[in-house]
């Protein structure tokens, strides 16, 4: 790539970052790293009405958690400071005025109520898509229709106004999108969008284009929902005389619900039991809590991996990628234009994969507070053994504890249905017989336990299948978990014998 790559992630702080936002940030980051460029975090907070306290911090924390870092931005500074648009407010007015001077924009004085009344009237007569555009503007109150001295008087009197772009009639607007190819839109389908408001704030469109220009952005990589705005942005580059410096565009496909029917939404997460936000989010108004990947026990590597594959297809069929491998393999040419279905099972598979890659020590450190919160004292050595035995079956670290609780707490009673099914005539005697066998084992390791027990059963013509579930019930209170010999070895000889004796006595009393 000949020109310097400079990309930006430009979220609006209107709430928590959705998985789609994480993907946009990730693709920008991967693209910058791949081409030795810079990745910038710019906060687009010009719409003060939609500002949500805490959202900006949430965005920064989320991206830090998944390992997407920035070379410049609101939290790290850089040569184009400030990176928060509300703090750049003063910079935008001159460009809006320049557009007016050049005849590409105009003042409009129609009040919000007047516009609403027109919309209502149009709706009543069957037109629900009324727009302020190159046809309707001639009937409106603006600097194109009012006499110049009246415009001047209104401006001097401080009458509220907005500055609108003057979209030409019946012109083809073309742009080349890296993912979608050539996109052609007729200007008659674009309305005269507001660029600037009399409160001194630019709208998204003007601020976005001005900042991309001033920050020398080479590629705009963003979600598909911004594709309809792209023709307007192309015109702004042209009218401001910056066409030669216009960034290349890449509009990413939507992330779809698991069944492919529509965009993945916050409600799908709640409905299907997986988070759609990287971190837990508490709505500052309603207090409503939305679950986060981090708090639900996901590894950031798994989230990065699953998000990376929502739209981008690697050249080979490889599925597991570290961040370095993603940087190496990423290319916008391999991002598809059709929506990417969120696959819950695949997502879980990734987490399982990354969980298994963690050392027993790391997982023990994650789980220890959960165990201790239940008032259970446990040594690191025992915890690590439990982790080693349980981690193959766990999806989240906490599963290691919840599904292996029996390692720390001996059964105090037994489920009657379970006993009904598994504890037959003679079972108690059979279990009793095994106590001296366990007692005789010197080296209490899985292999020795297994060989001693099996030799005894064989010599006494007792089927292994008839005995093992009994031992398992006595040791764990249930029928699941790792191999019985492994469980016994982890519990140790003394605890194993104690659980056998106690269990038999509880069952006999019933
Ligand atoms: N502020 C826009 C957003 O919230 C950014 C769109 C763009 O990247 O141009 O997504």
């Amino acid at each position: 790539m000949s020109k310097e790559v400079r990309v930006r992630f430009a979220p609006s702080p209107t709430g928590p970052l959705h998985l789609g936002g994480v993907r946009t940030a990730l693709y920008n980051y991967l693209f910058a790293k791949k081409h030795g460029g810079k990745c910038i975090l710019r906060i687009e907070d010009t719409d003060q009405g939609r500002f949500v306290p805490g959202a900006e911090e949430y965005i920064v924390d989320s991206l830090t958690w998944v390992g997407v870092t920035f070379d410049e931005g609101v939290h790290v500074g850089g040569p184009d400071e400030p990176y928060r648009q509300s703090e750049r407010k003063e910079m935008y007015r001159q460009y809006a005025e320049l557009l007016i001077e050049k005849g590409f924009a105009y003042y409009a004085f129609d009040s919000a109520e007047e516009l609403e009344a027109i919309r209502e009237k149009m709706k009543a007569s069957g037109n629900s898509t009324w727009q302020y555009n190159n046809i309707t503007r001639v009937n409106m109150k603006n600097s194109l229709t009012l006499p110049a001295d009246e415009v001047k008087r209104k401006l001097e009197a401080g009458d509220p106004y907005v500055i609108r772009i003057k979209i030409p009639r019946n012109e083809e607007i073309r742009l080349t999108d890296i993912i979608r190819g050539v996109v052609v839109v007729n200007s008659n389908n674009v309305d005269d969008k507001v660029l600037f408001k009399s409160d001194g704030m630019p709208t998204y469109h003007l601020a976005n284009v001005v900042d991309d220009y001033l920050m020398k952005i080479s590629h705009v990589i963003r979600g598909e929902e911004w594709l309809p705005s792209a023709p307007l942005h192309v015109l702004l580059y042209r009218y401001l005389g910056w066409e030669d410096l216009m960034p290349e565009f890449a509009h990413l496909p939507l992330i779809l619900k698991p069944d492919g029917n529509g965009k993945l939404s916050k409600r799908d997460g709640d409905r299907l039991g997986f988070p759609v936000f990287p971190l837990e989010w508490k709505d500052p108004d309603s207090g409503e809590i939305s679950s986060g990947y981090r708090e639900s026990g996901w590894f950031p590597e798994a989230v990065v991996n699953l998000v990376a594959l929502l739209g981008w297809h690697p050249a080979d069929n490889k599925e597991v990628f570290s961040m370095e491998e993603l940087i190496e393999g990423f290319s916008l040419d391999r991002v598809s234009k059709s929506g990417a279905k969120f696959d819950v099972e695949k997502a879980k598979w990734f987490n399982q994969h990354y969980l298994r890659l963690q050392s027993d020590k790391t997982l023990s450190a994650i789980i220890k507070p959960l165990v201790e919160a239940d008032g259970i004292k446990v040594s690191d050595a025992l915890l690590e053994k439990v982790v080693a035995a349980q981690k193959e079956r766990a999806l989240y670290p906490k599963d290691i504890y919840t599904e292996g609780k029996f390692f720390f707490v001996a059964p105090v009673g037994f489920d009657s249905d379970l006993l009904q099914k598994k504890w037959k005539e003679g079972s108690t005697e059979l279990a009793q017989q095994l106590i001296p066998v366990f007692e005789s084992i010197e080296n209490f390791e899985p292999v020795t336990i297994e060989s001693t027990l099996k030799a005894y059963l064989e010599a006494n013509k007792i089927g292994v299948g008839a005995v093992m579930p009994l031992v398992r019930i006595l040791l764990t209170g249930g029928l699941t978990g790792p191999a019985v010999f492994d469980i016994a070895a982890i519990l140790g000889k003394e605890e194993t014998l104690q659980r056998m004796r106690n269990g038999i006595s509880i069952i006999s009393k019933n």
Side-chain angles (χ1 to χ4, degrees):
M1 205 150 293
S2 55
K3 65 179 167 185
E4 196 202 349
V5 166
R6 288 178 59 80
V7 293
R8 84 305 190 267
F9 178 54
S12 298
T14 54
L17 194 63
H18 177 271
L19 221 45
V22 176
R23 186 194 57 180
T24 302
L26 176 67
Y27 283 11
N28 272 286
Y29 169 81
L30 296 176
F31 186 76
K33 293 293 143 199
K34 165 109 189 190
H35 297 290
K38 297 269 191 296
C39 190
I40 296 152
L41 177 62
R42 183 174 76 220
I43 297 294
E44 302 207 323
D45 59 345
T46 55
D47 190 349
Q48 297 284 310
R50 295 184 62 215
F51 177 82
V52 172
E56 181 184 313
E57 293 73 9
Y58 178 94
I59 291 166
V60 170
D61 292 349
S62 299
L63 296 174
T64 305
W65 182 65
V66 294
V68 167
T69 57
F70 294 89
D71 303 287
E72 297 170 24
V74 69
H75 58 313
V76 287
D80 293 311
E81 267 174 320
Y83 289 91
R84 196 177 285 116
Q85 287 182 329
S86 57
E87 292 170 19
R88 301 169 65 78
K89 194 174 157 185
E90 301 313 320
M91 278 184 227
Y92 305 108
R93 179 185 293 273
Q94 55 181 305
Y95 298 103
E97 283 169 359
L98 180 66
L99 288 169
I100 293 188
E101 239 167 75
K102 290 177 153 196
F104 294 125
Y106 58 92
Y107 294 106
F109 300 97
D110 323 84
S111 68
E113 296 73 37
E114 285 165 342
L115 293 176
E116 193 44 42
I118 296 180
R119 285 206 179 89
E120 283 303 315
K121 208 172 112 196
M122 288 299 166
K123 214 166 158 186
S125 60
N127 172 3
S128 55
T129 56
W130 183 85
Q131 288 188 321
Y132 205 119
N133 61 20
N134 52 27
I135 294 182
T136 59
R137 68 180 167 230
V138 295
N139 299 319
M140 307 299 293
K141 261 197 277 175
N142 53 53
S143 55
L144 303 173
T145 57
L146 298 172
D149 57 343
E150 194 180 340
V151 172
K152 192 162 174 267
R153 198 179 39 72
K154 277 182 168 300
L155 291 176
E156 279 167 5
D159 281 7
Y161 66 84
V162 296
I163 297 177
R164 289 182 180 269
I165 186 167
K166 191 175 158 199
I167 298 286
R169 184 88 197 122
N170 206 21
E171 225 178 72
E172 266 193 356
I173 313 168
R174 291 179 157 258
L175 68 115
T176 307
D177 184 280
I178 300 173
I179 297 167
R180 284 145 214 278
V182 177
V183 178
V184 185
V185 175
N186 187 289
S187 63
N188 291 352
N189 296 319
V190 183
D191 60 333
D192 285 1
K193 283 268 182 309
V194 174
L195 301 177
F196 200 83
K197 294 169 283 178
S198 50
D199 65 358
M201 269 293 191
T203 59
Y204 154 73
H205 301 290
L206 181 68
N208 184 270
V209 166
V210 166
D211 282 345
D212 282 350
Y213 167 75
L214 294 176
M215 294 179 183
K216 300 187 184 60
I217 297 304
S218 61
H219 296 78
V220 165
I221 304 169
R222 62 185 172 193
E224 183 179 282
E225 63 274 28
W226 301 103
L227 187 59
S229 300
L232 171 68
H233 298 176
V234 170
L235 288 182
L236 283 172
Y237 280 101
R238 187 179 304 161
Y239 294 162
L240 287 162
W242 302 335
E243 208 167 8
D244 293 347
L245 294 165
M246 189 168 78
E248 290 182 53
F249 291 102
H251 288 92
L252 307 174
L254 291 176
I255 298 180
L256 303 175
K257 294 177 199 295
D259 63 9
N261 279 328
K263 213 173 134 174
L264 182 73
S265 76
K266 183 180 146 194
R267 279 204 308 280
D268 295 313
D270 303 337
R271 191 169 57 89
L272 299 163
F274 64 87
V276 292
F277 299 120
L279 314 180
E280 190 172 277
W281 167 259
K282 184 172 179 197
D283 188 286
D285 282 336
S286 65
E288 186 200 346
I289 295 195
S290 302
S291 65
Y293 279 89
R294 182 178 64 186
E295 291 73 12
S296 306
W298 292 73
F299 291 94
E301 296 87 345
V303 175
V304 164
N305 208 145
L306 75 94
V307 163
L309 293 176
L310 287 171
W312 170 70
H313 302 280
D316 45 25
N317 281 333
K318 203 169 125 97
E319 291 189 296
V320 175
F321 287 88
S322 66
M323 195 65 107
E324 288 66 38
E325 290 167 327
L326 287 173
I327 293 171
E328 175 68 29
F330 186 75
S331 101
L332 287 171
D333 306 337
R334 302 198 64 85
V335 174
S336 70
K337 48 178 179 248
S338 47
K341 266 191 238 169
F342 186 87
D343 182 340
V344 183
E345 290 315 309
K346 201 46 182 273
K348 289 181 180 166
W349 181 86
F350 278 121
N351 209 48
Q352 235 155 0
H353 173 83
Y354 284 99
L355 186 147
R356 287 173 193 174
L357 290 184
Q358 309 297 316
S359 71
D360 297 345
K361 217 182 168 73
T362 306
L363 289 170
S364 298
I366 300 175
I367 296 158
K368 199 166 182 181
L370 303 178
V371 183
E372 289 177 344
D374 278 352
I376 298 168
K377 285 218 180 352
V378 63
S379 72
D380 290 346
L382 172 61
L383 198 51
E384 278 177 41
K385 282 187 200 164
V386 173
V387 166
Q390 289 286 97
K391 82 177 181 193
E392 286 300 306
R393 342 188 134 63
L395 168 56
Y396 306 116
K398 69 168 180 354
D399 298 343
I400 295 176
Y401 172 53
T402 49
E403 284 160 27
K405 218 167 184 165
F406 58 80
F407 280 111
F408 313 107
V409 191
V412 285
F414 298 89
D415 182 72
S416 53
D417 287 347
L418 176 72
L419 293 184
Q420 190 117 44
K421 263 209 321 257
K422 295 285 170 186
W423 209 268
K424 302 268 147 51
E425 277 282 333
S427 290
T428 301
E429 292 66 33
L430 207 49
Q432 209 111 41
Q433 271 184 57
L434 298 179
I435 290 180
V437 185
F438 276 109
E439 273 172 338
S440 75
I441 304 168
E442 285 301 326
N443 179 17
F444 212 72
E445 293 298 328
V447 263
T448 7
I449 302 173
E450 181 170 4
S451 57
T452 314
L453 220 56
K454 282 190 174 160
Y456 173 84
L457 295 175
E458 209 166 299
N460 292 280
K461 307 241 172 331
I462 306 169
V464 179
V467 174
M468 284 311 143
L470 306 183
V471 180
R472 185 183 286 281
I473 289 171
L474 293 171
L475 297 187
T476 73
L479 284 174
T480 55
V484 174
F485 314 112
D486 291 332
I487 297 174
I490 292 171
L491 292 174
K493 187 168 172 176
E494 206 182 311
E495 178 73 12
T496 299
L497 281 165
Q498 194 169 332
R499 288 193 186 191
M500 297 277 294
R501 291 194 185 102
N502 273 353
I504 293 169
S505 107
I506 294 170
I507 294 170
S508 320
K509 277 190 204 131
N510 277 339

